[in-house]
Amino acid sequence: MNAFTVDVEDYFHVAALSSAIPRDSWDKRELRVEENIERLLGILDEHSAQATFFVLGWLAERRPALVRRIADAGHEVACHGYSHQLVYTQSPREFREETLRAKSFLEDTLGHPVAGYRAASFSVTQASLWALDILIDAGFHYDSSIFPIHHDLYGLPGANPEPHRVSAPSGRTIAEFPMSAAKFFGVQVPVSGGGYFRILPYWLTRAGLRQINQRRGRPFAFYLHPWELDPGQPRIKVGAFSRFRHYTNLERCEGRLRRVLADFAFTSMHEALQQRGLLSGERSAATRQRLPLATAPLVHGRQPAG
Ligand SMILES: [Zn+2]
């Protein structure tokens, strides 16, 4: 099963537009995310697909009812940090403080622990691998912030592309579901969501996702933002490249989303990792089951007589 994921933030949180949107103006902007999430929940429900919603702490504090709404609809709520700052621009101390703030707020709102984390703009890179230790200390069970490609804002080229347990600098491990890319003519193409999903023709997306599932035999992590389903969002004046990346094909996104949901099987990221035995609790249970029967009495301290 593939993982369907949503980064829950609004159009004005996006890194590509940040040069034109001062952080202190966020509170004055029109929030459009609730309506967009509602539409997305309806579409997922039509396709009986379960998803993981990585919710930004800043937004959760202002709209706790939205966090509960997502959980009540049967989806996994996970953490998208607090401020949407790129991890490698923060000090470990800043990162720890704001990640704990976001995680505790979500957990207080939901009344249960939150297992997953995704960094703003996949910003766990070679320069910010220290963040994995902070995530382990904070009690997260998995991360989904590593993109094994070259990109101007993010990327860890050469990283393991399959879901796996990644080693933090301390040597401890955490489950990692990296973002997915397909290979066409030797070039890595991140076909699994966001701008690529809107900009590339759907037949190419589908071919890439099939390649990951069938030829490489592994699940992919699909991702989308609520504002990608919102052609009516305010247009921000930014450079041509950012404009292209943010606004291309917004009006086609909903139709494509329905196609991808019809063509592939999805579940939450927690469930997809659990199915592969990568969550630590799950793993120790599996290890216990694999113990040969003859050693079982020794485990309980009862040695057979004779
Ligand atoms: Zn984000």
Side-chain angles (χ1 to χ4, degrees), residues 10 80-81 102 116 119 127 133 148 165 173 186 216-217:
D10 223 323
H80 194 35
D133 271 311
R165 289 197 65 88
T173 65
R216 310 204 183 277

Short mmCIF file of all heavy atoms in Angstrom, two decimals, residues 10 80-81 102 116 119 127 133 148 165 173 186 216-217:
data_model
loop_
_atom_site.label_atom_id
_atom_site.label_comp_id
_atom_site.label_asym_id
_atom_site.label_seq_id
_atom_site.Cartn_x
_atom_site.Cartn_y
_atom_site.Cartn_z
N ASP A 10 -1.47 26.81 4.62
CA ASP A 10 -2.19 27.62 3.65
C ASP A 10 -1.23 28.17 2.60
O ASP A 10 -0.01 28.03 2.74
CB ASP A 10 -2.99 28.72 4.35
CG ASP A 10 -4.38 28.85 3.74
OD1 ASP A 10 -4.50 28.70 2.51
OD2 ASP A 10 -5.35 29.08 4.49
N HIS A 80 3.74 18.79 11.19
CA HIS A 80 4.49 19.47 10.12
C HIS A 80 5.31 20.62 10.73
O HIS A 80 5.49 21.66 10.10
CB HIS A 80 3.51 19.99 9.07
CG HIS A 80 4.12 20.42 7.77
ND1 HIS A 80 5.23 19.80 7.21
CD2 HIS A 80 3.80 21.42 6.90
CE1 HIS A 80 5.54 20.41 6.08
NE2 HIS A 80 4.71 21.41 5.87
N GLY A 81 5.80 20.41 11.98
CA GLY A 81 6.57 21.46 12.65
C GLY A 81 5.68 22.62 13.06
O GLY A 81 4.45 22.52 12.99
N ALA A 102 4.68 22.22 18.70
CA ALA A 102 3.69 21.75 17.72
C ALA A 102 3.16 20.37 18.11
O ALA A 102 1.96 20.11 18.09
CB ALA A 102 4.32 21.70 16.33
N GLY A 116 4.16 10.75 13.64
CA GLY A 116 4.93 11.10 12.44
C GLY A 116 5.30 12.57 12.34
O GLY A 116 4.60 13.44 12.85
N ALA A 119 9.19 17.68 7.81
CA ALA A 119 9.76 19.03 7.86
C ALA A 119 9.20 19.91 6.75
O ALA A 119 8.83 19.42 5.68
CB ALA A 119 11.27 18.94 7.71
N ALA A 127 22.87 18.75 5.85
CA ALA A 127 23.23 19.78 6.83
C ALA A 127 22.36 19.74 8.09
O ALA A 127 22.68 20.39 9.08
CB ALA A 127 23.11 21.17 6.18
N ASP A 133 17.86 13.09 15.57
CA ASP A 133 18.02 12.79 17.00
C ASP A 133 16.98 13.54 17.84
O ASP A 133 16.44 13.00 18.81
CB ASP A 133 19.44 13.15 17.46
CG ASP A 133 20.39 11.97 17.27
OD1 ASP A 133 20.03 10.85 17.70
OD2 ASP A 133 21.47 12.15 16.68
N PRO A 148 15.31 11.94 -1.75
CA PRO A 148 16.63 11.49 -2.29
C PRO A 148 16.93 12.04 -3.70
O PRO A 148 17.27 11.29 -4.59
CB PRO A 148 16.49 9.96 -2.32
CG PRO A 148 15.19 9.63 -1.71
CD PRO A 148 14.34 10.85 -1.75
N ARG A 165 14.77 2.02 8.18
CA ARG A 165 15.13 2.67 9.45
C ARG A 165 16.43 3.42 9.21
O ARG A 165 17.44 2.86 8.86
CB ARG A 165 15.23 1.65 10.59
CG ARG A 165 13.82 1.12 10.97
CD ARG A 165 13.76 0.45 12.31
NE ARG A 165 14.03 1.32 13.42
CZ ARG A 165 13.11 2.05 14.09
NH1 ARG A 165 11.85 2.03 13.71
NH2 ARG A 165 13.47 2.79 15.12
N THR A 173 18.04 4.73 15.67
CA THR A 173 17.34 4.74 14.38
C THR A 173 15.88 5.16 14.54
O THR A 173 15.30 5.04 15.62
CB THR A 173 17.38 3.36 13.69
OG1 THR A 173 16.65 2.42 14.50
CG2 THR A 173 18.79 2.87 13.47
N GLY A 186 17.53 7.57 -17.01
CA GLY A 186 18.62 7.86 -16.10
C GLY A 186 18.42 9.12 -15.25
O GLY A 186 19.27 9.46 -14.44
N ARG A 216 10.20 -1.54 -9.12
CA ARG A 216 11.06 -1.45 -7.94
C ARG A 216 10.45 -2.15 -6.73
O ARG A 216 11.10 -2.29 -5.71
CB ARG A 216 11.38 0.00 -7.61
CG ARG A 216 11.85 0.74 -8.84
CD ARG A 216 12.70 1.94 -8.60
NE ARG A 216 13.01 2.57 -9.87
CZ ARG A 216 14.01 2.19 -10.68
NH1 ARG A 216 14.82 1.22 -10.32
NH2 ARG A 216 14.20 2.78 -11.83
N GLY A 217 9.16 -2.54 -6.85
CA GLY A 217 8.51 -3.32 -5.80
C GLY A 217 8.44 -2.60 -4.46
O GLY A 217 8.58 -3.22 -3.41
#
